[in-house]
């Protein structure tokens, strides 16, 4: 796909850059896979994308974050989906150096978005570092009992080890992501009462899309 895009852009002044954060493009492709391609002559369902789950052959080992960037506390939380929609309290004006991915229109209005709050006295530094990379998403590896951050094309960072209670919360986090097509968020704050130094609404894009 990347080579095809480079060829298509070869005659214009545009540089293609690999990314896992092409949220609008992924949403457009999913809509076509659902509403357009099945109506075309010769369509076969087996030709459509991947399974949506990571391959069991993925044997990457997450890299530990530098101590200066690690949070002191992590918490699994949830916010009403309505807070991210028009009229909600979360906007580009109050998310610090973060960003908000687009939200599909096919979710129930009373749904909750699962997320992770990182509490650290170095909230500004961690948020600035996250803003300088391309945060693709957060994943709870239940079997390994780890919380992993995905960035750029294939980087993984170990954020935390999960105890028994956190593992149960992480299972709910992953289930909630699945219910909303991978939608989730991360907020970096100094404490429970402070505004986010950085807030990212993210979406785990299905493999093979």
């Amino acid at each position: 796909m990347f080579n095809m895009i480079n060829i298509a852009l070869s005659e214009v002044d545009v540089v293609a850059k690999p990314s896992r954060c092409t949220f609008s493009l992924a949403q457009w492709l999913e809509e076509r896979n659902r509403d357009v391609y099945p109506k075309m002559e010769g369509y076969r369902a087996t030709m459509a994308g991947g399974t949506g789950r990571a391959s069991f052959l993925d044997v990457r080992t997450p890299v530990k974050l530098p101590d200066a960037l690690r949070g002191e506390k992590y918490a699994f939380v949830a916010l009403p989906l309505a807070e991210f929609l028009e009229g909600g309290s979360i906007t580009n004006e109050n998310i610090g150096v973060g960003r908000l991915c687009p939200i599909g229109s096919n979710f129930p209005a009373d749904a909750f978005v699962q997320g992770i709050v990182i509490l650290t006295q170095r909230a500004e530094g961690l948020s600035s570092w996250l803003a300088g990379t391309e945060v693709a998403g957060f994943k709870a590896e239940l079997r390994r009992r780890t919380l992993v951050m995905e960035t750029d094309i294939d980087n993984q960072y170990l954020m935390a080890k999960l105890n028994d209670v956190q593992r149960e919360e992480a299972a709910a986090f992953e289930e909630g992501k699945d219910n909303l097509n991978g939608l989730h968020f991360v907020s970096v704050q100094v404490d429970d009462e402070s505004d986010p130094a950085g807030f990212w609404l993210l979406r785990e894009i299905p493999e093979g899309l």
Side-chain angles (χ1 to χ4, degrees):
M1 177 66 76
F2 185 53
N3 287 338
M4 292 171 61
I5 293 173
N6 269 332
I7 292 171
L9 297 176
S10 61
E11 297 184 5
V12 297
D13 188 22
V14 175
V15 177
K17 177 184 176 182
S19 173
R20 285 193 288 176
C21 294
T22 53
F23 303 118
S24 295
L25 177 59
Q27 188 172 304
W28 180 80
L29 287 172
E30 286 176 322
E31 290 172 355
R32 293 189 69 81
N33 283 335
R34 182 181 66 246
D35 302 328
V36 177
Y37 299 143
K39 300 175 183 177
M40 298 176 68
E41 184 178 352
Y43 171 83
R44 295 197 304 272
T46 54
M47 298 170 61
T51 63
R53 307 297 298 178
S55 169
F56 70 92
L57 295 176
D58 185 353
V59 293
R60 291 175 294 167
T61 300
V63 177
K64 283 188 177 181
L65 276 178
D67 289 342
L69 296 174
R70 297 181 66 183
E72 286 92 45
K73 293 182 181 179
Y74 299 84
F76 291 99
V77 298
L79 289 172
L81 177 65
E83 296 292 345
F84 299 95
L85 303 178
E86 185 175 355
S89 65
I90 300 174
T91 69
N92 287 317
E93 305 300 319
N94 58 12
I95 59 171
V97 295
R99 68 168 186 269
L100 304 176
C101 75
I103 299 176
S105 58
N106 57 333
F107 299 136
D110 60 350
F112 277 77
V113 182
Q114 299 295 316
I116 297 165
V117 173
I118 303 174
L119 301 177
T120 172
Q121 295 301 309
R122 299 181 289 269
E124 294 288 345
L126 176 56
S127 295
S128 295
W129 184 83
L130 291 176
T133 186
E134 190 172 62
V135 184
F138 284 73
K139 183 181 302 183
E141 298 280 2
L142 300 180
R143 183 174 60 82
R144 299 176 181 174
R145 293 174 174 263
T146 57
L147 178 63
V148 175
M149 176 175 65
E150 302 260 359
T151 72
D152 301 310
I153 294 300
D154 58 4
N155 292 337
Q156 290 186 327
Y157 292 94
L158 176 63
M159 302 297 292
K161 295 288 186 70
L162 305 175
N163 60 31
D164 289 344
V165 173
Q166 292 168 332
R167 188 175 184 274
E168 292 183 9
E169 295 173 341
F173 169 77
E174 288 296 326
E175 182 180 356
K177 281 169 54 181
D178 287 344
N179 291 339
L180 293 182
N181 290 347
L183 199 67
H184 61 292
F185 68 86
V186 61
S187 180
V188 182
Q189 304 170 206
V190 172
D191 54 43
D192 293 333
E193 305 299 326
S194 63
D195 292 331
F199 186 105
W200 285 261
L201 180 63
L202 305 162
R203 188 184 164 212
E204 189 175 289
I205 297 176
E207 294 284 332
L209 183 64

